[in-house]
Amino acid sequence: MPQLLSDSAFADAGIPMAFVVPSAERGGLGEIQSANGAMAFFTGRSMEDLTGLAFAELVHRDDVALGEDQLARLSSGQVESCSFEKRFEHADGHRTWGLVTVAEGHDTGGSRQGTWVVQVHDISERKHFVGQLEYFADHDPLTSLFNQRRFRIDVDSQLAYGRRHGCGGAVLMLDLDNFKEVNDQYGHAAGDALIIAVATALSGNSRETDEVSRLGGDEFAVLLPESDLAEAESHAEKLLRAIAAVVVEGAGQGITVAASCGVAGFTTDDGQCADDLLINADLALYQAKESGRGCVKVYHTDSGLHEKVTARLMWSEQIREALDHDGFVLHAKPVIELQTDAIAFYELAIRLRSPGGILIPAAVFLYIAERFGMATDIDEWVTAQAINLLEHTKTKPPLALGINISSASLQGDRFLRFLQSHLAATSFPPELLIFELTEAVAMANLQRARQFGQGLAKLGCRLALDDFGAAFGSFYYLKHLPVDLLKIAGEYVRGLGTANDPADHLIIEAVVKLAKGLGTLVVAEFVGDRETRQELLAMGVTLGQGAFLGPSRDVHDIPALQP
């Protein structure tokens, strides 16, 4: 139906509006017959200037043709209205995004028969917000470099371009040597400053056509289009020298760092995808680390590294098969109340069942899972199993369950959305789920760890910090993380009763006192004998874990977890 407008409704409308003559040229919108005051304000022109002006003159030249198909359908009577987005050129030179809605219309007097009424909604703010979301999806928040997701996409694009145009290239993968020691000795802020300085050095010493990315933690990657292996190796050595020249201040002194680098090339006809190339570069990096660090190694198909590639691919296939067909086994290790022997909660641990029936611990296959993007899948599998156990166990109330979380699940909100959807249909208190982050994972990205902890808190779940005290900046993390439970690093517990006892004793007492002030529970790991247990009790530690207190068992063999 044509849209009827009285002259006053048109003139007084707060939405930019105009009567426009249809046109077979310049995007389908021809001469402006009349415009209201809101349109004049939106475009920065007077109503007199707008009258008789071609609508296309208001629009960015690249957007003039946008919406032509919809307008053709409107003109033929197939639709009654249509909408599309265009960029508008304001009279003062700036650009504004508008959502253009067009319908057949005339005024109540009928004097504008055959024209279209065009309304424009200012959507600049929404476009700006969407642009920010797109930026954060592709960029590392600390360094502003492209992140791993975007890097993989661009590597695949470069491989496709190379196949079409007959050119190759290379990927460099760089890892800082002994970076954890920097964080331990100088603190998280100094570590961040060093990461930023290294990112700047890599960008400043690369070509405009190269792409520098931060894959995560202290690992970087560089895409070198149209470079052969010799050029790539030379460039890698240049980048290592640039990193070695980086100096940042920490604790009143200069901090430097070295790096190792793996190089992998691609040609027009080798059939590689991004994962193949990154695996090869990663293997070369691994070889550089094994060769004493601080050097460059190049992947060659005849270097013997391809055997490791095959092995990793087999592992990845086995992990995927286990995810798809319930090939994992879940074990649980009790956390005991040291005073009474009562079980406070169980910590869950995943095992991979090999074709021969052997149960493989997570430490063996999690690195491969992370490299192939399956770590979050594993976290979700364990969490789903834990929720099922809590929902159906005959023990009332159920015992809490601890779940170890990988660094991959801190990226974005996928895991938290998964958790929220699975908790929606449950009846047990969410606080019975305790998600454990190692201090090293929290240290690698404190901001994301804090956001993850806040997300857990909103859902009613608890956060535990594992291996607490292993890093120099442990107390700093407590200031910024919403932690419900601290698990003292095992090295301090094992040190009780040895030559290190005085220092370990003082550290444990300090953690207990701190936790008490924060209202946080404390668990001592690796409790190995009765004497250690009694000493921990004397220091105020109430919860413990270790083979002496209770072994890890299959969840199906634990009565308290049975339906």
Side-chain angles (χ1 to χ4, degrees):
M1 293 289 292
Q3 185 168 338
L4 297 175
L5 286 172
S6 68
D7 286 342
S8 61
F10 172 75
D12 297 338
I15 299 172
M17 299 176 68
F19 283 101
V20 180
V21 178
S23 171
E25 301 176 351
R26 302 200 69 185
L29 292 170
E31 183 179 291
I32 298 173
Q33 193 177 83
S34 61
N36 67 0
M39 179 67 85
F41 179 80
F42 177 74
T43 61
R45 296 166 175 85
S46 68
M47 288 187 286
E48 291 76 14
D49 288 340
L50 289 172
T51 302
L53 187 69
F55 193 86
E57 295 297 320
L58 303 176
V59 178
H60 187 281
R61 64 176 182 272
D62 293 341
D63 293 357
V64 169
L66 294 178
E68 277 186 338
D69 292 344
Q70 291 111 300
L71 290 172
R73 296 178 66 205
L74 175 65
S75 183
S76 64
Q78 297 178 54
V79 295
E80 294 185 353
S81 65
C82 61
S83 297
F84 40 84
E85 297 176 357
K86 290 179 183 281
R87 286 170 294 175
F88 286 79
E89 301 279 8
H90 195 275
D92 67 8
H94 79 267
R95 288 172 184 162
T96 310
W97 275 98
L99 174 64
V100 182
T101 301
V102 185
E104 184 181 348
H106 54 80
D107 59 355
T108 52
S111 63
R112 298 190 179 98
Q113 192 73 30
T115 61
W116 283 337
V117 60
V118 177
Q119 300 180 23
V120 182
H121 293 263
D122 189 343
I123 59 171
S124 301
E125 186 174 345
R126 176 170 67 81
K127 279 290 187 179
H128 176 69
F129 179 67
V130 170
Q132 285 184 317
L133 292 179
E134 291 173 349
Y135 178 87
F136 289 131
D138 284 339
H139 290 77
D140 170 57
L142 181 63
T143 63
S144 296
L145 297 175
F146 281 139
N147 58 19
Q148 181 173 150
R149 170 188 170 278
R150 175 60 182 269
F151 188 75
R152 286 177 178 273
I153 292 171
D154 290 346
V155 169
D156 264 331
S157 297
Q158 185 60 41
L159 289 169
Y161 178 87
R163 285 190 289 271
R164 288 195 305 270
H165 299 282
C167 55
V171 163
L172 315 182
M173 193 168 288
L174 304 101
D175 187 87
L176 303 186
D177 297 333
N178 304 312
F179 178 70
K180 184 177 183 298
E181 295 178 7
V182 174
N183 271 309
D184 289 351
Q185 186 172 353
Y186 299 104
H188 179 81
D192 280 355
L194 192 59
I195 290 291
I196 293 169
V198 168
T200 302
L202 292 174
S203 300
N205 286 276
S206 295
R207 304 170 302 181
E208 287 188 10
T209 54
D210 299 339
E211 181 174 316
V212 181
S213 170
R214 184 188 180 204
L215 302 184
D218 60 335
E219 193 169 53
F220 297 85
V222 184
L223 172 61
L224 304 177
E226 301 184 34
S227 292
D228 60 32
L229 276 179
E231 292 170 333
E233 184 176 10
S234 175
H235 187 67
E237 290 169 348
K238 173 186 174 183
L239 293 181
L240 292 196
R241 291 193 295 271
I243 292 172
V246 168
V247 181
V248 299
E249 186 176 341
Q253 56 185 294
I255 305 171
T256 60
V257 71
S260 302
C261 182
V263 180
F266 59 91
T267 59
T268 58
D269 56 356
D270 58 16
Q272 293 190 85
C273 66
D275 280 342
D276 298 328
L277 196 56
L278 292 175
I279 289 168
N280 292 345
D282 187 40
L283 286 167
L285 172 62
Y286 179 76
Q287 189 180 43
K289 293 284 189 183
E290 285 190 327
S291 300
R293 305 174 185 265
C295 63
V296 176
K297 291 294 180 182
V298 179
Y299 175 85
H300 296 285
T301 54
D302 59 354
S303 64
L305 288 176
H306 65 283
E307 296 175 2
K308 293 185 178 180
V309 173
T310 303
R312 284 195 176 190
L313 289 173
M314 290 177 63
W315 269 110
S316 71
E317 291 169 2
Q318 193 172 342
I319 294 167
R320 176 49 62 191
E321 178 74 14
L323 283 166
D324 293 341
H325 299 97
D326 258 354
F328 290 115
V329 173
L330 203 59
H331 279 210
K333 182 165 57 175
V335 173
I336 303 295
E337 292 183 7
L338 297 177
Q339 189 68 50
T340 65
D341 276 339
I343 296 174
F345 65 91
Y346 281 98
E347 178 186 351
L348 300 179
I350 191 171
R351 303 284 188 265
L352 176 63
R353 186 186 293 109
S354 72
I358 298 173
L359 296 183
I360 302 167
V364 175
F365 61 83
L366 275 184
Y367 177 78
I368 304 295
E370 289 175 351
R371 281 298 187 213
F372 283 85
M374 293 183 283
T376 301
D377 295 326
I378 291 175
D379 291 345
E380 290 177 352
W381 185 90
V382 175
T383 301
Q385 296 295 313
I387 289 173
N388 185 62
L389 287 170
L390 290 172
E391 188 68 9
H392 297 103
T393 180
K394 64 185 178 183
T395 303
K396 301 299 179 186
L399 288 169
L401 298 176
I403 301 165
N404 291 283
I405 292 295
S406 68
S407 60
S409 292
L410 269 61
Q411 311 305 313
D413 61 353
R414 169 186 157 178
F415 181 82
L416 288 174
R417 284 190 283 107
F418 166 88
L419 178 60
Q420 183 178 22
S421 67
H422 279 65
L423 285 175
T426 60
S427 57
F428 62 84
E431 65 184 25
L432 295 179
L433 286 173
I434 305 171
F435 292 93
E436 299 186 15
L437 292 178
T438 65
E439 194 172 63
V441 167
M443 177 179 65
N445 199 324
L446 182 60
Q447 179 61 24
R448 290 194 182 277
R450 178 166 58 184
Q451 292 170 350
F452 181 78
Q454 291 169 343
L456 291 180
K458 288 180 180 178
L459 295 175
C461 302
R462 289 185 283 176
L463 175 66
L465 194 59
D466 200 2
D467 291 336
F468 182 76
F472 178 82
S474 297
F475 290 173
Y476 176 82
Y477 306 134
L478 282 188
K479 179 180 177 182
H480 295 277
L481 288 176
V483 175
D484 301 289
L485 189 147
L486 296 177
K487 300 185 79 173
I488 302 172
E491 62 182 283
Y492 300 121
V493 179
R494 285 193 295 258
L496 296 175
T498 69
N500 295 320
D501 185 282
D504 293 333
H505 197 108
L506 287 170
I507 290 170
I508 293 172
E509 283 186 327
V511 172
V512 171
K513 185 175 181 180
L514 176 67
K516 187 176 293 185
L518 295 173
T520 302
L521 295 173
V522 176
V523 177
E525 298 185 281
F526 298 100
V527 180
D529 52 47
R530 188 178 303 278
E531 291 74 18
T532 301
R533 173 179 180 158
Q534 291 306 119
E535 192 169 355
L536 288 167
L537 273 170
M539 286 186 282
V541 179
T542 58
L543 300 175
Q545 189 177 33
F548 171 74
L549 298 175
S552 176
R553 292 192 291 163
D554 190 310
V555 293
H556 296 104
D557 297 331
I558 300 174
L561 299 180
Q562 298 310 300

